[in-house]
Amino acid sequence: MRSDVTHFQCEIKNRIATVRLDRPDRKNPLTFDSYAELRDWFRDLVYADDVDVVIFGSNGGNFSSGGDVHDIIGPLTRMNMKELLRFTRMTGDLVKAIVNCGKPVIAAVDGVCVGAGAIIAMASDLRLATAEAKTAFLFTRVGLAGCDMGACAILPRIIGQTRAAELLYTGRAMSAEEGERWGFYNRLVTGETLEDEALKLAQKIQAGPNFAHMMTKTMLAQEWAMSIEQAIEAEAQAQAICMQTGDFERAYNAFVAKERPVFEGD
């Protein structure tokens, strides 16, 4: 998997990729280029055999301030409808790429996490945050609808319809304590331990059956649009596939031998 990216930071070590936006002096806003490169990187992740888990980290005490006011919002006011739709589809494609990348994604959120930054955290599978994290879907505060990049579909599934509606209508910041209490954040940690805790969680997941993790992520995404009957059948097929893996046999043999299984992801 490529780590020689241009518009964000990327480090791959021990099959864990850590990415983070790279403009800490401006609280890590997104640009047209970083949107596109992140989208392409997560799309390519589907085919990467050297990465099992991704951490989307903070930088300089902040996660992301969303779309850059000068580099994105200003130019958008001068675009025609065709150009605007091309842009909004590209931003939505980033969310689709994260959801469909086949690898668990952990957001490690500190400080400002707003706009498209909040969407990236929302699209991740797991979210850790510091007490200083302030998360806002502030699209209405710039005259736009709250239905951006899948927010009206995904956020209610995480925190509930009423809470999501409040955040999306008002654009107010959700405190870290609210985020944990409502289920947006898995747990809160200190700023000093945020990266270590995210890495520990990534290592715990990476040590598991990674082919099976891919199937879990796939089912979590696909079953939104399924009936209960369809979901049960889809899971039956997914589990039957996993029962053919070497990791399933390794787990059985380890259980018989009263040992801890060592998974290899096949």
Side-chain angles (χ1 to χ4, degrees):
M1 187 65 193
R2 289 181 57 240
S3 60
D4 58 333
V5 295
T6 303
H7 300 288
F8 60 95
Q9 293 181 7
C10 178
E11 179 185 17
I12 299 173
K13 185 177 181 180
N14 298 326
R15 307 185 66 82
I16 296 171
T18 301
V19 300
R20 64 185 89 238
L21 295 168
D22 193 21
R23 301 176 72 191
D25 57 314
R26 297 177 64 180
K27 300 181 181 178
N28 307 310
L30 287 141
T31 65
F32 292 116
D33 289 332
S34 58
Y35 264 124
E37 191 171 34
L38 279 167
R39 174 203 61 195
D40 294 343
W41 189 86
F42 274 100
R43 281 177 172 173
D44 292 343
L45 197 59
V46 175
Y47 307 102
D49 293 328
D50 60 338
V51 174
D52 296 323
V53 186
V54 177
I55 298 171
F56 204 118
S58 298
N59 190 0
N62 293 290
F63 189 73
S64 174
S65 57
D68 189 280
V69 173
H70 302 293
D71 292 347
I72 288 186
I73 296 179
L76 289 178
T77 64
R78 299 185 291 273
M79 289 185 185
N80 60 37
M81 181 59 70
K82 184 176 181 180
E83 293 168 327
L84 291 169
L85 186 56
R86 182 183 300 118
F87 169 73
T88 55
R89 283 175 171 164
M90 178 184 72
T91 63
D93 282 344
L94 171 57
V95 172
K96 288 189 282 186
I98 294 172
V99 170
N100 295 312
C101 72
K103 313 295 167 71
V105 179
I106 302 167
V109 178
D110 192 13
V112 170
C113 176
V114 302
I119 295 289
I120 290 172
M122 177 193 75
S124 301
D125 299 281
L126 300 164
R127 289 165 290 275
L128 303 181
T130 69
E132 291 69 40
K134 293 179 175 60
T135 308
F137 301 83
L138 42 63
F139 307 108
T140 57
R141 291 167 61 181
V142 295
L144 297 176
C147 57
D148 198 57
M149 300 171 70
C152 285
I154 301 173
L155 189 60
R157 289 176 164 88
I158 299 173
I159 66 173
Q161 183 81 7
T162 303
R163 289 166 176 162
E166 179 190 354
L167 295 182
L168 296 176
Y169 279 125
T170 67
R172 77 164 179 86
M174 173 178 62
S175 70
E177 187 275 332
E178 283 178 318
E180 182 187 37
R181 179 158 45 89
W182 293 354
F184 187 83
Y185 289 116
N186 293 83
R187 56 191 169 92
L188 302 183
V189 299
T190 66
E192 293 76 17
T193 62
L194 176 62
E195 291 194 7
D196 287 341
E197 291 297 324
L199 182 59
K200 287 178 185 177
L201 181 56
Q203 290 170 334
K204 183 175 183 179
I205 294 171
Q206 194 278 325
N210 288 299
F211 179 87
H213 288 338
M214 178 274 293
M215 296 296 284
T216 299
K217 178 155 184 161
T218 299
M219 290 297 100
L220 281 169
Q222 291 185 356
E223 289 183 33
W224 284 5
M226 293 182 184
S227 67
I228 294 297
E229 291 78 8
Q230 291 170 327
I232 291 172
E233 174 58 24
E235 291 191 5
Q237 295 181 25
Q239 206 69 305
I241 293 170
C242 289
M243 288 173 182
Q244 297 182 59
T245 63
D247 277 347
F248 181 60
E249 185 174 353
R250 290 183 193 100
Y252 169 73
N253 291 334
F255 178 81
V256 172
K258 297 183 179 180
E259 298 173 349
R260 182 184 297 272
V262 177
F263 296 115
E264 298 181 18
D266 63 351

